[in-house]
Amino acid sequence: MAPMSTDTLRTELHEGWARLTLARPERRNALNTALLAELAAALTRLDADAQVRVVVIAGADGHFAAGADIGEIATKTTAEGRVDLRKDSWAAIRGFSKPLIAAVEGYCLGGGCELALMSDIMIVAPDAQLGLPETNLGIIPGAGGAERLTALIGRARAMRMVLSGEIIPGSLAHDWGMAAFLAEDVQGEAEDLARRLARRAPLALMAAKRAVVGASESPLAGTLAATRTAFEDLLDSADKAEGIAAFGARRHPVFTGR
């Protein structure tokens, strides 16, 4: 299969593995709807390619992904959220059957952090910045980030991060169990790991992934659906509008609970 790069998603094929690079550097690789759809489509193609056994997701210019696209969220209503195409893209990403490695450096926030949490193995730089700061905008993580974070680091730490919107360094994320590897050279470590995994039995890798994901996520199915509904409900709130306006004006929001 030939590489199918776009202006915002670069695809590189190597022997046994592939790298997908989010490439919106002017927005620190924020995941707008178009980029998320491109990522989902690329993973679907790579899932069907028997020559590709492992995929690495990285970000261009020293950042993984600085969140979702705030401009899209600003105008999105609850009704639009109910039929949001992003849900299909997230489902396709999580349904990728082969090992998925996230190479995290720089900003990894909001939707970008949710993407990293969907990976099977996360590699972080010590000074990477990870967090789910959606409550600062009057919303919550909408793609299962809170649930996956809780499964990885426990209730107390997940509550600390999700409720306060705290952003933590990669070194602490690794210490807490959010990431599997801590590395100064994140891209090199990811490439080395991808090569090692690509030499292993592909059917066994996929079966092992299903086993681990099933053990960690099957009990969350109902919660994930309820969280998505709660996220959609918040899109019409006055607090969401205030949070977005405050973000754009670089001021502290004044929330009223409406």
Side-chain angles (χ1 to χ4, degrees):
M1 184 182 74
M4 297 183 65
S5 296
T6 69
D7 289 341
T8 54
L9 183 69
R10 298 200 298 264
T11 303
E12 305 166 46
L13 296 180
H14 302 273
E15 186 176 353
W17 66 282
R19 187 199 316 270
L20 298 175
T21 302
L22 310 173
R24 296 184 72 209
E26 74 285 355
R27 299 300 301 271
R28 292 173 177 164
N29 307 320
L31 295 169
N32 63 2
T33 299
L35 176 53
L36 198 63
E38 288 173 3
L39 178 60
L43 286 171
T44 298
R45 289 193 299 270
L46 294 172
D47 218 359
D49 187 344
Q51 300 303 309
V52 175
R53 299 180 178 184
V54 183
V55 171
V56 174
I57 297 179
D61 288 11
H63 294 290
F64 186 72
D69 192 301
I70 301 300
E72 290 184 340
I73 297 174
T75 58
K76 188 164 293 182
T77 65
T78 293
E80 291 169 337
R82 298 280 193 248
V83 295
D84 194 346
L85 296 177
R86 294 171 65 95
K87 291 192 282 189
D88 292 335
S89 295
W90 284 122
I93 293 166
R94 196 65 197 105
F96 183 67
S97 69
K98 302 171 184 179
L100 189 61
I101 299 168
V104 175
E105 51 191 347
Y107 287 121
C108 179
L109 306 174
C113 189
E114 294 199 89
L115 174 60
L117 288 167
M118 285 186 180
S119 71
D120 303 306
I121 298 177
M122 191 191 308
I123 302 171
V124 295
D127 58 354
Q129 299 292 299
L130 298 91
L132 296 171
E134 283 87 346
T135 54
N136 296 337
L137 303 176
I139 54 176
I140 60 174
E147 290 85 350
R148 294 187 177 97
L149 184 66
T150 301
L152 287 172
I153 68 175
R155 181 180 186 276
R157 288 167 173 165
M159 282 289 191
R160 168 177 162 177
M161 288 185 66
V162 176
L163 296 186
S164 72
E166 181 180 1
I167 296 169
I168 65 172
S171 55
L172 186 57
H174 175 260
D175 289 346
W176 282 0
M178 192 172 172
F181 294 92
L182 185 69
E184 293 288 348
D185 180 8
V186 169
Q187 301 303 329
E189 186 78 19
E191 182 171 333
D192 180 65
L193 178 60
R195 285 174 172 162
R196 285 189 282 125
L197 291 180
R199 291 193 293 267
R200 303 184 72 80
L203 295 179
L205 288 177
M206 290 188 287
K209 172 173 175 168
R210 287 194 301 271
V212 175
V213 170
S216 61
E217 292 195 2
S218 292
L220 300 179
T223 303
L224 290 168
T227 296
R228 179 67 201 188
T229 298
F231 168 81
E232 293 162 357
D233 289 343
L234 289 168
L235 292 173
D236 280 347
S237 69
D239 279 349
K240 185 215 81 170
E242 166 61 11
I244 298 289
F247 178 85
R250 298 184 181 276
R251 62 172 173 81
H252 291 295
V254 179
F255 293 125
T256 60
R258 293 184 292 111

